[in-house]
Amino acid sequence: MSGRLRKFGLSLCIGCCTLVFSAPAPAADLVTRATDLADQYGEGLANWRTLAIMHRAMHDAANAATPTYERWAAPTADEPAANGASAQSAMVAAAARVLTLLHPARSEETARALKRAFLYIGDEPGRAASIALGNAIGTAAVERRANDGSSSIRPFVGASGLGVWARTPLGFETSNTSSAQPYLFPDRPSYAAPPPPPVDSDLYRRDLEEARRIGAVETKDRTADQGASAIFWAGQSSQRGYMHLAIRLLEEHPRAGGVIEHARIMSQMATAMADSAILVWLEKERYAFWRPVTAIRAGSAGVAPDPNWLPLIDTPPFPEYPSGHAADCFTGSATLRAAFGSDVGALVYMSLTGKEKNLSDLSKGVGQHDQSDDGLWTYQRRFPSLEAAATDCAESRLFAGAHFRFSDVEAKRVGDQIAARAAESVPRLDRRPRRD
């Protein structure tokens, strides 16, 4: 076990394992089976763009066949009439069309999944109409995002200067960002966000001192449980984890509206999680704020430099502000609370698995976002609520020495804003204002 991790008394071989969220719970229905398939096509990475496009198309196809909720997108001119199409068949046809267009190398696997879905549904009238409707809506959903900026990839540019992000001193290469347009906001320029505090402010100095004390590799100020929290959340994609959690909650708490309501919930989740990724990376590029390891080593006004300081877990290779882990967790938790309310119950658990891969630890970013689901053991952290899970996720980045507290505060603002917009989207048609 790595010397950095041994002190926390975990019974797991964390130093030689990649830590990941566990595989999703058994799919609740055809909605979440599609989630599972799209997640697999990400090959261990958060496949958020595909999931957002696919689930929005599934929702719209189901509601084109059986109008219950408003649609994410208006019908295109060439969308066929429903003509007796069924919600389930139109929905799975839309999902298959999106997956075929976005993952052509997996088209045979997608075709087999579609065949299994139709066998699950069984014989029904209007199958041809369902397929035509789903294909049209799935194609339109992909075309609508064809020029959304997601293919405009560029590296984060490091620089020198107070408060400016630079490559960490441990030899990371830089990571990338894109020009992807958000789903719940008009465009990137319209998204306003506050900057991080000035490096000569009392707030900055307070949060830097906290990061220095609690996030250092060697410190008496971090408890064993805080260290376990840092390790747990660092080794996984919270994007994937919250989509997996949504599957499990639908399995445990199926909605009265059945497949159409499930399609709505998963479309809200996928859309919210996509915007979390897009908006956080927009802010990271916009402000390019330095990481604690750089700030503490360099020093600043009122802060003496500490050139030998090291974080518990080696710093990810992109700017600090805001915390992506925290934003994903706050977004996912708030969106799920809006969907399930008190039905979720008093206990939430998040799981991760890990398979021995002879890795030194979580250094050089290995395991921080890239995962597989072939684990040999499972490790869980249990929480009394979704809010508690999100808070633990956010604070874990302080315990890891990767973020400042003000970055978690901004992440919560982002997550709450996204979740509120997602929850207000695609309302029931019968809840429109009445005309007397």
Side-chain angles (χ1 to χ4, degrees), residues 36-50:
D36 190 8
L37 190 62
D39 177 67
Q40 292 176 37
Y41 287 6
E43 299 181 344
L45 297 175
N47 201 11
W48 55 262
R49 183 173 184 268
T50 293

Side-chain angles (χ1 to χ4, degrees), residues 226-241:
Q226 289 171 340
S229 171
I231 294 162
F232 178 89
W233 291 104
Q236 58 185 273
S237 162
S238 39
Q239 279 269 340
R240 293 185 71 212

Side-chain angles (χ1 to χ4, degrees), residues 95-108:
R97 184 62 175 161
V98 170
L99 292 176
T100 299
L101 292 173
L102 295 182
H103 297 275
R106 309 290 287 268
S107 58
E108 291 185 6

Side-chain angles (χ1 to χ4, degrees), residues 185-273:
F185 299 78
D187 51 34
R188 289 169 65 90
S190 69
Y191 175 70
V199 295
D200 60 353
S201 66
D202 290 340
L203 172 60
Y204 170 80
R205 284 190 287 263
R206 183 199 71 191
D207 286 3
L208 182 140
E209 176 59 17
E210 179 185 40
R212 186 192 65 76
R213 288 187 304 100
I214 206 167
V217 61
E218 298 289 346
T219 180
K220 296 178 180 180
D221 293 318
R222 182 180 53 243
T223 68
D225 185 67
Q226 289 171 340
S229 171
I231 294 162
F232 178 89
W233 291 104
Q236 58 185 273
S237 162
S238 39
Q239 279 269 340
R240 293 185 71 212
Y242 270 88
M243 293 302 291
H244 295 178
L245 178 59
I247 291 176
R248 190 169 74 239
L249 291 178
L250 283 174
E251 174 71 15
E252 295 171 354
H253 308 282
R255 303 290 84 190
V259 68
I260 290 183
E261 189 174 355
H262 290 190
R264 176 178 183 260
I265 289 171
M266 292 306 292
S267 72
Q268 290 173 323
M269 272 296 292
T271 299
M273 297 310 289

